[in-house]
Amino acid sequence: MSRQYLQVMTIAGSDSDGSAGMQADMHTFFTRGVYGVSVLTACVAGNSYEIGARVTLPTDFIDKEFELIAKDYQVRAAKTGMLADATLIETVAKKYQLYDFGPLVVDPVIVTKHGNLLLEEEALESLKTKLLPLATVLTPNFYEAEKLTNRQLNTEADYVLAAQDLQAMGAKNILIKGEHTTGSTQETIKDYVLLESGHSFWLEAPFYKTERINGTGDSLSACIAAELAKGTSVEEAIRIAKKYVNRAIQKEIIVGHKYGPINHWATIGEIE
Ligand code: PXL
């Protein structure tokens, strides 16, 4: 008996240790029961300690990836991850609009949790003007939201204003991931969601003290894209994705010696 799988696309960089980037997206697509295709934009050489080198792929190659996927696969939703520079952002924005890949989740990857820059400073303007307006869902972390809005996020009211700014830039639904400082005593993390309808709410989750959180943001946005491909509403897709990463963080696995990946297996059969 043959079975059909919904197809979802990641437009992202490869992380050689498998914990983040395109690999985290693919793990997430697999565990969420959708088939992942990938437009690779860049490659990072790294392990659980460090990123040692990075390269970007030629734009004509990226164009070809888009073209060949569009010719053969029926992509129902997509997400972006590491786009590295303004040229890649513009290439991706142009190609995304040329084909029908369904709703787009934009994870505005700027810097890793450990301070490695994955987007050139000069590319911020392109991110704001070329990619943000295409976002069905935008998922900045606290730091990225500050960079994109030129605001400092100190209070809950600041998150609300930042989300409104991001919506004014053209992104339809906003999820700002709350701050958790290393070594802090906080017991929960609060994210803020502003939907296209104007409805907004906070999502609060336990803060687990672990260094094994590589790929959290990638997996969150990939999970939202997977759910959107299934026809789930944006609000429900965001709630499911939060449960997904919470579960994957809570059930720590030991892979690599330092900042290891989250546990995708722990989510199987657990998240509805
Ligand atoms: O998690 C952010 C991220 C995204 N994409 C790539 C990465 C990382 C973090 O290391 O390597 C390719």
Side-chain angles (χ1 to χ4, degrees):
M1 195 180 74
S2 67
R3 242 190 105 174
Q4 299 258 329
Y5 279 91
L6 292 171
Q7 292 136 40
V8 185
M9 179 164 74
T10 174
I11 307 163
S14 159
D15 186 348
S16 61
D17 83 349
S19 68
M22 180 271 283
Q23 286 86 349
D25 298 339
M26 287 298 198
H27 294 314
T28 308
F29 292 157
F30 182 84
T31 53
R32 294 310 297 163
V34 295
Y35 182 83
V37 296
S38 53
V39 166
L40 201 60
T41 55
C43 294
V44 158
N47 58 23
S48 72
Y49 290 99
E50 62 176 324
I51 286 178
R54 75 204 73 195
V55 291
T56 55
L57 294 183
T59 53
D60 56 349
F61 179 81
I62 294 173
D63 286 348
K64 209 63 183 169
E65 291 183 282
F66 273 110
E67 183 194 321
L68 293 178
I69 287 170
K71 242 186 209 166
D72 196 17
Y73 290 81
Q74 194 187 351
V75 173
R76 307 283 185 139
K79 67 148 282 188
T80 61
M82 176 183 177
L83 297 177
D85 60 34
T87 307
L88 289 199
I89 289 174
E90 279 158 37
T91 300
V92 166
K94 211 182 283 167
K95 287 292 159 182
Y96 190 79
Q97 290 173 93
L98 190 62
Y99 306 105
D100 178 12
F101 293 127
L104 182 66
V105 183
V106 173
D107 182 10
V109 174
I110 296 177
V111 67
T112 71
K113 288 188 190 65
H114 314 300
N116 297 290
L117 203 63
L118 295 184
L119 182 76
E120 288 176 359
E121 188 75 27
E122 309 81 75
L124 209 58
E125 212 40 48
S126 298
L127 181 59
K128 287 192 212 173
T129 56
K130 302 281 182 353
L131 202 59
L132 252 64
L134 305 180
T136 308
V137 185
L138 180 72
T139 63
N141 60 26
F142 150 86
Y143 171 78
E144 290 156 353
E146 284 197 336
K147 286 290 259 187
L148 289 168
T149 61
N150 261 325
R151 280 183 189 280
Q152 291 216 315
L153 303 192
N154 296 318
T155 64
E156 289 193 355
D158 295 333
Y159 278 70
V160 174
L161 291 172
Q164 288 167 353
D165 285 354
L166 294 167
Q167 221 174 36
M169 291 179 201
K172 292 191 176 69
N173 301 276
I174 318 292
L175 162 61
I176 303 182
K177 297 171 278 183
E179 192 192 19
H180 50 98
T181 41
T182 322
S184 92
T185 54
Q186 72 192 94
E187 287 179 0
T188 59
I189 298 186
K190 278 175 91 174
D191 301 338
Y192 181 69
V193 179
L194 175 60
L195 298 179
E196 190 177 9
S197 62
H199 176 53
S200 65
F201 53 96
W202 290 89
L203 279 174
E204 195 161 359
F207 174 53
Y208 301 109
K209 267 206 161 66
T210 169
E211 290 188 324
R212 300 184 182 273
I213 53 168
N214 267 15
T216 310
D218 312 85
S219 304
L220 181 84
S221 50
C223 188
I224 296 172
E227 292 310 311
L228 294 180
K230 297 173 191 173
T232 309
S233 71
V234 169
E235 176 170 348
E236 194 54 24
I238 289 173
R239 290 188 189 277
I240 289 172
K242 278 300 291 180
K243 283 189 213 156
Y244 183 97
V245 295
N246 279 325
R247 173 92 187 158
I249 292 171
Q250 186 191 4
K251 302 281 172 191
E252 186 182 79
I253 46 168
I254 308 301
V255 180
H257 292 85
K258 187 66 176 158
Y259 302 114
I262 59 172
N263 180 358
H264 295 272
W265 291 292
T267 67
I268 297 171
E270 295 292 329
I271 316 294
E272 289 320 320

